[in-house]
Amino acid sequence: MTMQTRLLTDKNALNHTRTVQSPLAPLQPGEAILRVDRVAVTTNNITYAAFGDAMKYWDFFPTGEAGWGHMPVWGFAEVVASGVEGVAVGERFYGYWPIASYLRMRPVRVTARGFYDGAEHRQSLTSAYNQYTRTSADPVYRAADENYQMLVRPLFITSFMLADFLQDNGFFGARRLLFSSASSKTAYGTAFCLAGQEGIEQVGLTSARNSAFVQGLGCYQGRVAYGELEALDASVPTLYVDFSGDEDLRARVHRHFGDALVYDCYAGSAQNTNFLRDTALPGPAPVFYFAPVQIKKRNADWGPEVVNQKFNAAQRAFIERISDAGQPWMQVQEHQGFAAAQALVEDLHAGRLDPQQGHVVVL
């Protein structure tokens, strides 16, 4: 009987992980077993863990151990056993996985595009995370771009739909978008999608360490170090797009801009593991942005096919930009095995990694 390895995360100390091994039970009718091949591990995954209880991210891959969870990641897996028509051994799928050697699934709604995991415990969870895409039917899939696709796609869907949400609402009357953690992939992905918006200035807030990188991206019209926030003209109607989750920084933004702050959009953070709370700030209350809500709206407005077409075109343009050999925005580093994944999670949680690097773990 095949043994499986799983990486478990301490829900109360996200930098603390451990591996466990157990026998992989035989395939049952209606099931498929997929071997997880390679996954991207980014600050986005730390965010999933940070909001694991509040947003039910821990619920996708139960561990059976109190206090320990599977940190969800995005990547590719291959079918090694299947009792489901339309899901064949050897096929490759992109989707949402635990950091584990195998995942037992119950494929339902099987189509040429892929399937949904119909496992009972996933029925009440966000549908977008239950969908698995067959690489042979994915119009944007390129084998040579797998690393970029899994690094970018889960982040870029947030970026793409966040940019659409802001446009859809007329930027709430803002003439300036102020991005915290401007060096994060989701932040500059959003700025990339909004490039060329007439009458809108995009300004990146960043640390001194990441200042040169942010300037080199070219998707922000302005760049400001955190300590220089108050040098910005406070009379310009400003929309705060918060990827840092830093409560002190948020308070400074609210107090500096006062009535000129038109909207505070909290897009999530890996460094702040607290959910939004009321700190009695002046101006608009911070609002948590959740991409699936805008996806659902646009599916109703445009239809899923048009949404996919628009997203695929934008994603392809973004991947081409970040992987530009002449001036790349991202350099991919591959890591081998579960021990490397543990070290990577610890470094990401501590914020020790270069924003220009994208990290992939080959399991």
Side-chain angles (χ1 to χ4, degrees):
M1 185 176 293
T2 301
M3 296 295 291
Q4 64 173 334
T5 303
R6 299 179 296 147
L7 183 67
L8 307 189
T9 299
D10 186 338
K11 293 181 180 180
N12 297 310
L14 302 181
N15 59 325
H16 181 208
T17 61
R18 64 185 176 91
T19 57
V20 295
Q21 288 191 317
S22 59
L24 186 64
L27 187 74
Q28 299 299 312
E31 291 184 342
I33 297 175
L34 283 82
R35 183 182 64 240
V36 184
D37 177 29
R38 59 178 56 224
V39 298
V41 182
T42 73
T43 53
N44 185 48
N45 306 115
I46 307 296
T47 302
Y48 287 152
F51 295 100
D53 289 323
M55 306 298 291
K56 298 187 177 180
Y57 291 126
W58 291 130
D59 296 357
F60 284 90
F61 310 112
T63 65
E65 295 193 32
W68 292 86
H70 276 305
M71 180 184 295
V73 292
W74 295 88
F76 293 90
E78 290 190 359
V79 181
V80 294
S82 176
V84 180
E85 185 176 353
V87 178
V89 170
E91 286 197 285
R92 194 167 181 82
F93 288 85
Y94 169 82
Y96 199 56
W97 316 98
I99 303 177
S101 52
Y102 297 94
L103 180 63
R104 180 183 302 275
M105 312 178 80
R106 296 194 68 85
V108 298
R109 299 164 60 184
V110 180
T111 66
R113 184 182 177 189
F115 65 84
Y116 287 78
D117 188 358
E120 184 177 353
H121 72 274
R122 296 181 73 160
Q123 296 309 296
S124 62
L125 302 175
T126 302
S127 177
Y129 297 110
N130 292 335
Q131 183 177 3
Y132 292 81
T133 302
R134 203 185 306 265
T135 59
S136 60
D138 185 349
V140 296
Y141 174 79
R142 296 179 186 174
D145 285 344
E146 275 195 352
N147 286 344
Y148 287 108
Q149 180 174 337
M150 61 188 177
L151 280 162
V152 165
R153 191 168 186 162
L155 301 170
F156 193 68
I157 189 66
T158 297
S159 298
F160 176 77
M161 296 312 304
L162 175 54
D164 179 68
F165 167 75
L166 297 177
Q167 288 177 295
D168 196 22
N169 287 278
F171 302 101
F172 298 90
R175 296 207 314 272
R176 174 198 289 138
L177 304 181
L178 181 63
F179 294 79
S180 64
S181 292
S183 65
S184 70
K185 298 174 185 66
T186 320
Y188 67 72
T190 307
F192 174 86
C193 289
L194 293 173
Q197 290 290 316
E198 188 175 351
I200 298 293
E201 177 192 26
Q202 299 193 103
V203 176
L205 274 173
T206 189
S207 65
R209 182 183 65 180
N210 295 332
S211 182
F213 172 70
V214 168
Q215 184 177 23
L217 289 171
C219 56
Y220 299 105
Q221 286 76 56
R223 168 186 50 94
V224 178
Y226 288 123
E228 299 169 351
L229 166 66
E230 285 76 12
L232 287 170
D233 182 352
S235 68
V236 177
T238 297
L239 192 159
Y240 184 42
V241 190
D242 182 16
F243 292 93
S244 76
D246 187 312
E247 290 188 339
D248 290 338
L249 178 61
R250 181 182 297 125
R252 288 172 59 201
V253 168
H254 278 250
R255 289 170 183 144
H256 178 62
F257 291 104
D259 292 340
L261 186 66
V262 298
Y263 193 82
D264 181 342
C265 180
Y266 181 35
S269 167
Q271 304 307 319
N272 181 356
T273 57
N274 296 316
F275 206 68
L276 270 177
R277 60 188 186 130
D278 184 4
T279 54
L281 293 174
V287 178
F288 185 78
Y289 168 76
F290 190 48
V293 173
Q294 187 69 8
I295 294 172
K296 184 177 181 180
K297 179 182 185 300
R298 285 314 198 189
N299 280 339
D301 291 344
W302 300 334
E305 184 175 347
V306 174
V307 172
N308 284 330
Q309 288 173 352
K310 289 177 178 286
F311 171 69
N312 288 340
Q315 178 189 233
R316 171 49 50 197
F318 188 57
I319 288 176
E320 288 176 355
R321 179 60 196 88
I322 66 172
S323 60
D324 182 348
Q327 189 182 7
W329 285 3
M330 184 189 297
Q331 298 169 348
V332 176
Q333 289 196 357
E334 287 193 358
H335 307 260
Q336 303 288 327
F338 287 88
Q342 289 183 272
L344 184 55
V345 168
E346 187 172 348
D347 285 340
L348 284 166
H349 184 267
R352 289 193 287 258
L353 298 179
D354 185 332
Q356 194 169 8
Q357 295 175 351
H359 297 273
V360 167
V361 178
V362 180
L363 297 173

